[in-house]
C-alpha cells in the first residue's frame, strides 16, 4: 500500500503509542484526585500542556484540550460570538475554510450574526485588500486558516493578525494543517485563538486543543467539573493528551528533516506529473504551500473514478477533503479559486509523509498516467475535444 492521504489523517507514530500505553493500564488515575495515582496523571497532563505551549511560544494556562480540531473551531467561533455580541455581530472569514469553520459560521448566521466570506486568488491565497475592506465597525472576529487542507496554500497570517490587532478585533486561525509542520509563534503572528489536532501530526484521533490568549472572556464550552480551568469540563483524556504532547515533541524534533524530504518528494511528483500527463493543472501556489501537499486537476476525468482505480492499485489519495469525498459536490476551495466545475470534479489530492519514497512517487505517476489514459479513452468529452483539436491530437498513452 502507498499511503498519500496524510492531510486526512496520519499513522500514529510508534513512539506516541508507546508513550500513551501506560496511561491506559498502570497510570489510570483521575487527574483531579489527591492520591499519587491521580498525581501521575496530573503530571503527565501538565507536561503535555507545557510541550504544546512551548511550541507556540504561549503560556501553559493558555492551552485548552479538546476532542479535536473541529471542536476547537466550534468553540472559538461560537464562544467569541456569544461573548462579544454586545460589541458587534459581524464576523469575517474566507471561502476556503474547513467545514468545521464554515458550517459553524452558517449556524451563527441563523443566530443573527452576519458573516463576510472573503475570496482568494487563483492560487488559493486570501486577498488581503478584500479582507481589509470587509472589516466593519461591528466586526468582532476574523477567522482565517493557517494552511489550507486541500491545496496546501499558506495564508498571510502575520499580516492578517496585524490587521486585526490594529483594529481591536480578535483573530482566530484554524492551524490544524500547519501545526507541527511549520514553526508557529502566537505572539509574533498576533494570534488570539488557534485550533490544532493531534491526528494530523502522527498523534491519536479525538484529541486537539484550542489556544486562547489570556484575558479573553470566552464562555465555557462544556459545563461541569473544573477541568481545563472550568472552561471545558469532563475527565481529561489523559492517554490522548499524552499522545498529543509526544506527537508535537516528535514533530518539532523532526521538522527540518521532514520538511526537506517532503518538499523534495513533492516537487519531484509535481514535475513528473506536469511533464508526463497532458491537460492537467497544479492547484494551489507553487511555493507558498505545505511541504507534503500535491493537488492536481485532470481534464476530462472524474476525481472519484481516479481514486477508485488508484485504490485498486493500493494507492490511497483523496479528491479534496475527507469530509467531502463521498459527496458529489465539487470542492468549495477549488471553485473559490475560479476552477470550472469540470476541473474541480477532476481533482486529486496526494499528501505525503516523511515515510514516503521516490520509488513510491514513480509508481504513483505511472499509475496515474495509465488510469488517466484509460478514463479519457472512455470519455465522450475527450473524444469531442480530440475531434475539434484535429491533427494536433495529443498522445495520451
Ligand atoms: C482535519 C481538519 C480539521 C478537523 O480536525 P479533527 O481533529 O478531525 O476534528 C479542521 N480543520 C482543518 C484545516 C483540518 O485539516
Amino acid at each position: 500500500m502507498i499511503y498519500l492521504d496524510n492531510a486526512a489523517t496520519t499513522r500514529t507514530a510508534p513512539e506516541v503509542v508507546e508513550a500513551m500505553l501506560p496511561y491506559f493500564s498502570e497510570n489510570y488515575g483521575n487527574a483531579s484526585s489527591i492520591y499519587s495515582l491521580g498525581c501521575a496523571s496530573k503530571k503527565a497532563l501538565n507536561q503535555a500542556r507545557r510541550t504544546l505551549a512551548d511550541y507556540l511560544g504561549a503560556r501553559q494556562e493558555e492551552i485548552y484540550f479538546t476532542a479535536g480540531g473541529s471542536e476547537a473551531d466550534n468553540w472559538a467561533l461560537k464562544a467569541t460570538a456569544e461573548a462579544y455580541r454586545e460589541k458587534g455581530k459581524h464576523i469575517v472569514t474566507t471561502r476556503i475554510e474547513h467545514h468545521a469553520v464554515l458550517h459553524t459560521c452558517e449556524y451563527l448566521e441563523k443566530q443573527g450574526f452576519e458573516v463576510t466570506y472573503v475570496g482568494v486568488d487563483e492560487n488559493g491565497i486570501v486577498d488581503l485588500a478584500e479582507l481589509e475592506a470587509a472589516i466593519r465597525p461591528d466586526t468582532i472576529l476574523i477567522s482565517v486558516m493557517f494552511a489550507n487542507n486541500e491545496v496546501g496554500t499558506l495564508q498571510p497570517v502575520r499580516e492578517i493578525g496585524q490587521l486585526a490587532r490594529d483594529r481591536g478585533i480578535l483573530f482566530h486561525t484554524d492551524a490544524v494543517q500547519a501545526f507541527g509542520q511549520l514553526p508557529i509563534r502566537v505572539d509574533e503572528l498576533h494570534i488570539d485563538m488557534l485550533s490544532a489536532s493531534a491526528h494530523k501530526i502522527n498523534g491519536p484521533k479525538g484529541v486537539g486543543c484550542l489556544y486562547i490568549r489570556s484575558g479573553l472572556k470566552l464562555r465555557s464550552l462544556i459545563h461541569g467539573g473544573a477541568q481545563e480551568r472550568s472552561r471545558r469540563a469532563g475527565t481529561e483524556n489523559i492517554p490522548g493528551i499524552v499522545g498529543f504532547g509526544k506527537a508535537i515533541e516528535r514533530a518539532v524534533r523532526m521538522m527540518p528533516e521532514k520538511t526537506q524530504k517532503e518538499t523534495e518528494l513533492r516537487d519531484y511528483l509535481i514535475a513528473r506529473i506536469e511533464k508526463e500527463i497532458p491537460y492537467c493543472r497544479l492547484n494551489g501556489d507553487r511555493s507558498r504551500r505545505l511541504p507534503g501537499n500535491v493537488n492536481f486537476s485532470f481534464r476530462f476525468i472524474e476525481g472519484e473514478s481516479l481514486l477508485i482505480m488508484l485504490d485498486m492499485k493500493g494507492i490511497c489519495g483523496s479528491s479534496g477533503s475527507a469530509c467531502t469525498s463521498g459527496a458529489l459536490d465539487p470542492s468549495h476551495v477549488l471553485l473559490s479559486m475560479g476552477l470550472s466545475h469540470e476541473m474541480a470534479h477532476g481533482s486529486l489530492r496526494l499528501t505525503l509523509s516523511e515515510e514516503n519514497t521516490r520509488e513510491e512517487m514513480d509508481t504513483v505517476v505511472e499509475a496515474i498516467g495509465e488510469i488517466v489514459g484509460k478514463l479519457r479513452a472512455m470519455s465522450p468529452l475527450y473524444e469531442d475535444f480530440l475531434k475539434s483539436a484535429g491533427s494536433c491530437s495529443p498522445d495520451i498513452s
Side-chain angles (χ1 to χ4, degrees):
M1 187 189 76
I2 302 180
Y3 186 75
L4 297 174
D5 202 15
N6 287 280
T9 197
T10 56
R11 185 166 84 101
T12 313
E15 70 179 279
V16 170
V17 176
E18 206 178 304
M20 292 170 69
L21 286 177
Y23 295 91
F24 289 106
S25 44
E26 303 97 80
N27 299 333
Y28 54 84
N30 188 315
S32 306
S33 314
I34 284 303
Y35 40 77
S36 41
L37 188 64
C39 289
S41 295
K42 179 103 194 149
K43 229 173 122 191
L45 178 65
N46 288 337
Q47 174 62 42
R49 208 188 297 280
R50 189 171 315 121
T51 311
L52 288 158
D54 285 349
Y55 164 63
L56 292 173
R59 284 189 270 158
Q60 247 193 89
E61 62 270 23
E62 295 175 311
I63 305 293
Y64 294 84
F65 288 109
T66 65
S70 301
E71 184 183 305
D73 285 341
N74 271 258
W75 189 7
L77 271 67
K78 290 177 189 167
T80 307
E82 194 172 299
Y84 292 83
R85 67 189 311 151
E86 299 308 322
K87 182 173 174 245
K89 288 194 154 191
H90 183 240
I91 293 166
V92 177
T93 187
T94 80
R95 293 197 200 127
I96 62 158
E97 298 300 309
H98 189 274
H99 283 139
V101 167
L102 288 179
H103 290 166
T104 304
C105 284
E106 283 166 26
Y107 163 80
L108 288 171
E109 285 179 298
K110 291 198 189 96
Q111 306 296 310
F113 289 87
E114 281 181 71
V115 182
T116 303
Y117 300 89
V118 174
V120 293
D121 66 13
E122 71 278 10
N123 292 331
I125 294 178
V126 172
D127 188 330
L128 272 176
E130 196 184 327
L131 187 108
E132 190 167 7
I135 296 171
R136 311 192 316 208
D138 62 341
T139 306
I140 50 173
L141 174 71
I142 297 175
S143 179
V144 178
M145 70 201 319
F146 208 111
N148 182 266
N149 47 304
E150 293 187 33
V151 294
T153 41
L154 306 175
Q155 303 302 334
V157 173
R158 186 191 308 266
E159 288 83 350
I160 297 168
Q162 187 69 56
L163 215 71
R165 178 67 48 90
D166 291 347
R167 286 163 180 75
I169 300 167
L170 294 180
F171 176 42
H172 165 254
T173 185
D174 173 343
V176 172
Q177 289 291 332
F179 196 83
Q181 308 272 359
L182 312 165
I184 301 178
R185 311 296 286 178
V186 284
D187 284 344
E188 287 166 29
L189 301 172
H190 312 294
I191 295 166
D192 295 309
M193 287 168 282
L194 177 146
S195 308
S197 179
H199 76 99
K200 303 287 174 82
I201 54 164
N202 306 97
K205 291 164 185 60
V207 57
C209 72
L210 181 65
Y211 156 80
I212 307 177
R213 182 173 292 283
S214 52
L216 292 196
K217 289 175 195 63
L218 297 195
R219 71 161 168 81
S220 303
L221 176 69
I222 295 177
H223 305 280
Q227 294 92 351
E228 303 302 288
R229 295 158 62 83
S230 296
R231 280 173 145 178
R232 203 262 185 198
T235 303
E236 301 88 347
N237 171 9
I238 302 293
I241 290 168
V242 166
F244 193 10
K246 195 71 188 170
I248 191 65
E249 181 195 308
R250 174 183 175 275
V252 168
R253 185 178 77 231
M254 291 176 55
M255 201 181 288
E257 187 194 335
K258 181 176 156 74
T259 303
Q260 192 194 347
K261 180 154 190 224
E262 288 178 13
T263 307
E264 274 171 27
L265 284 180
R266 176 195 75 189
D267 293 342
Y268 175 71
L269 185 57
I270 290 174
R272 274 203 69 180
I273 291 175
E274 285 185 322
K275 185 155 164 267
E276 294 169 39
I277 303 173
Y279 308 114
C280 66
R281 174 200 202 264
L282 175 69
N283 295 319
D285 196 272
R286 213 165 271 277
S287 53
R288 283 172 64 182
R289 79 188 296 141
L290 287 170
N293 178 288
V294 175
N295 188 313
F296 271 97
S297 282
F298 300 96
R299 270 187 85 185
F300 317 110
I301 297 282
E302 283 289 338
E304 295 285 305
S305 318
L306 180 53
L307 282 182
I308 291 163
M309 290 171 79
L310 282 171
D311 180 40
M312 293 194 300
K313 291 176 180 288
I315 298 167
C316 309
S318 149
S319 60
S321 70
C323 323
T324 46
S325 40
L328 285 172
D329 297 338
S331 146
H332 65 285
V333 175
L334 297 178
L335 293 181
S336 301
M337 287 161 59
L339 268 73
S340 64
H341 271 70
E342 186 213 335
M343 284 300 263
H345 269 301
S347 69
L348 173 69
R349 178 187 76 179
L350 302 172
T351 42
L352 319 179
S353 80
E354 76 285 352
E355 288 180 35
N356 292 121
T357 63
R358 193 171 267 249
E359 290 68 41
E360 288 179 331
M361 301 302 111
D362 291 331
T363 307
V364 167
V365 177
E366 271 143 42
I368 296 172
E370 184 193 317
I371 296 166
V372 166
K374 268 191 199 154
L375 290 172
R376 282 181 180 163
M378 297 189 294
S379 157
L381 281 174
Y382 188 58
E383 200 179 320
D384 292 348
F385 171 77
L386 287 188
K387 275 184 202 141
S388 65
S391 57
C392 311
S393 65
D395 177 16
I396 56 143
S397 58

